[in-house]
Amino acid sequence: MKRKGFVEQRKKVAKTQPEATSDQVAITLLLTGGQQYTVTVMPEDPLLHDLYETLVAGNGNSVKRLFQIPIQHGKAVLAFPSDRLVGLITEPPLIIEQNQVASSNPSTTPLQSDSDPCISKYLQLDQFLAPADHQRLLDYVIEHEAEFVPSSTFTGEANYRESVVLYSFPEFSELITRQIQQVLPQVCEQFSLAPFPVTQIEAQLTAHNDGQFYKVHNDNGSQDTATRELTYVYYFHREPKAFSGGELVIYDSKIQNNYYVQSHTFKTVEPRNNSIVFFLSRYMHEVLPIHCPSQSFADSRFTINGWIRR
């Protein structure tokens, strides 16, 4: 329902989609209230640096500025205060490291070259839920097996994701949200993220059984998902463990011809019982196939997975 509301809000905004030439960048500005506007600039335009700098500073920046961006070939100006900016979509994809934004001259901020690697990081915390809550959750999913539905993707591509999902489980989605809020400062520190206002923590219950998987993807590659900053995956299963596989693979990244692509190097995360993993939603990642000989739902690799939105 929240996703639908966001789309409906966007439709209320009159916007222009300028065509970018091959040497320009199209920037879609995501503003509070679900509004958006697209402008085109050259890659070296200081505006690009200023926009990224505003995102990095977030609400921690005590100095509010007014953006005034010429549109309609200079016949009009788009003006908005900096605290209304919540995200950017760039086409082609551009990656500017936070340390570059913070320390460099706006007119000379470089994009990464093709040879610069973006090394992925993750944080895995064990014993994330109290034993009693962990057991209650496990009992709950087994009791509600009939309510799980086949998973899907935004693109609708076949043979890309195979699992079953439960979208409504209020008691435990609220529990996981409270726990995440408690550790969020530690998580932000791990990824060198400045504290940011959390607009939503999404959650879904997912079960992977024999032969199921999720191919390589990222979690904020569309307009509807662009404000996802962090992804989390909480793992739980019955003991003794009745499946193998199902590791999370998080790929390092690189800029190739000004596009953000996965590298050949990666991190592999073991789905440890009662642990939670955090990583940046922009990272390319996948779930390796599960081997579950019994094929019993109760023996599945279970997760509460979701996203922390800026």
Side-chain angles (χ1 to χ4, degrees):
M1 294 301 295
K2 291 181 180 178
R3 182 185 306 157
K4 180 179 178 183
F6 181 77
V7 174
E8 288 175 346
Q9 282 183 312
R10 290 209 321 263
K11 290 179 179 177
K12 296 177 183 177
V13 182
K15 57 184 179 180
T16 301
Q17 298 289 353
E19 291 290 333
T21 62
S22 60
D23 58 346
Q24 291 181 314
V25 179
I27 309 172
T28 300
L29 309 166
L30 304 178
L31 307 178
T32 55
Q35 296 178 318
Q36 63 174 264
Y37 208 101
T38 300
V39 298
T40 57
V41 300
M42 299 301 292
E44 65 273 13
D45 194 317
L47 172 64
L48 189 59
H49 175 276
D50 292 346
L51 291 168
Y52 273 95
E53 187 177 57
T54 297
L55 287 180
V56 171
N59 282 356
N61 185 4
S62 59
V63 179
K64 184 188 295 187
R65 61 171 294 178
L66 179 67
F67 280 101
Q68 300 181 79
I69 303 175
I71 58 175
Q72 299 177 11
H73 304 289
K75 296 178 180 178
V77 169
L78 172 66
F80 59 91
S82 57
D83 60 357
R84 289 199 59 201
L85 183 67
V86 296
L88 299 173
I89 301 173
T90 59
E91 186 178 350
L94 301 180
I95 303 298
I96 297 179
E97 291 298 300
Q98 289 190 29
N99 58 357
Q100 292 177 326
V101 174
S103 62
S104 59
N105 184 296
S107 63
T108 59
T109 298
L111 294 175
Q112 290 178 300
S113 69
D114 286 9
S115 61
D116 291 334
C118 301
I119 304 301
S120 63
K121 297 189 291 185
Y122 69 89
L123 176 64
Q124 187 167 23
L125 304 175
D126 290 307
Q127 306 304 315
F128 190 66
L129 294 185
D133 290 331
H134 173 270
Q135 187 60 51
R136 285 195 307 113
L137 176 58
L138 189 56
D139 294 341
Y140 177 89
V141 297
I142 294 173
E143 292 169 4
H144 290 75
E145 175 183 357
E147 299 174 25
F148 280 74
V149 298
S151 58
S152 61
T153 64
F154 278 103
T155 62
E157 185 174 347
N159 197 35
Y160 201 85
R161 179 187 184 188
E162 290 189 9
S163 57
V164 291
V165 182
L166 182 64
Y167 292 106
S168 179
F169 50 105
E171 177 184 355
F172 292 102
S173 60
E174 291 171 6
L175 172 63
I176 204 76
T177 294
R178 290 195 302 271
Q179 294 297 107
I180 287 172
Q181 288 170 333
Q182 290 181 13
V183 301
L184 191 54
Q186 177 184 355
V187 175
C188 288
E189 182 179 356
Q190 169 71 13
F191 296 102
S192 301
L193 290 175
F196 62 91
V198 175
T199 61
Q200 183 184 6
I201 298 180
E202 300 173 275
Q204 59 183 227
L205 258 172
T206 306
H208 285 84
N209 205 270
D210 194 49
Q212 296 186 323
F213 56 88
Y214 198 167
K215 293 182 180 178
V216 178
H217 64 286
N218 68 11
D219 291 336
N220 64 357
S222 69
Q223 291 186 353
D224 285 341
T225 61
T227 58
R228 289 174 176 174
E229 186 73 30
L230 291 161
T231 296
Y232 70 88
V233 185
Y234 170 72
Y235 298 104
F236 63 105
H237 57 76
R238 293 206 302 186
E239 296 286 3
K241 180 179 173 184
F243 67 88
S244 59
E247 295 88 357
L248 171 67
V249 177
I250 304 174
Y251 288 91
D252 296 330
S253 310
K254 59 183 179 181
I255 304 301
Q256 189 173 74
N257 298 325
N258 224 16
Y259 282 84
Y260 182 56
V261 299
Q262 74 183 64
S263 179
H264 65 280
T265 56
F266 54 85
K267 313 288 191 301
T268 301
V269 183
E270 184 70 23
R272 298 199 295 261
N273 199 11
N274 197 18
S275 74
I276 190 169
V277 173
F278 295 90
F279 57 94
L280 296 179
S281 296
R282 67 177 174 82
Y283 287 165
M284 304 299 291
H285 58 283
E286 67 176 317
V287 176
L288 298 182
I290 311 295
H291 179 56
C292 182
S294 73
Q295 299 186 7
S296 169
F297 178 80
D299 289 336
S300 297
R301 168 194 180 272
F302 295 112
T303 64
I304 298 179
N305 56 286
W307 309 274
I308 303 171
R309 286 187 183 259
R310 180 182 289 274

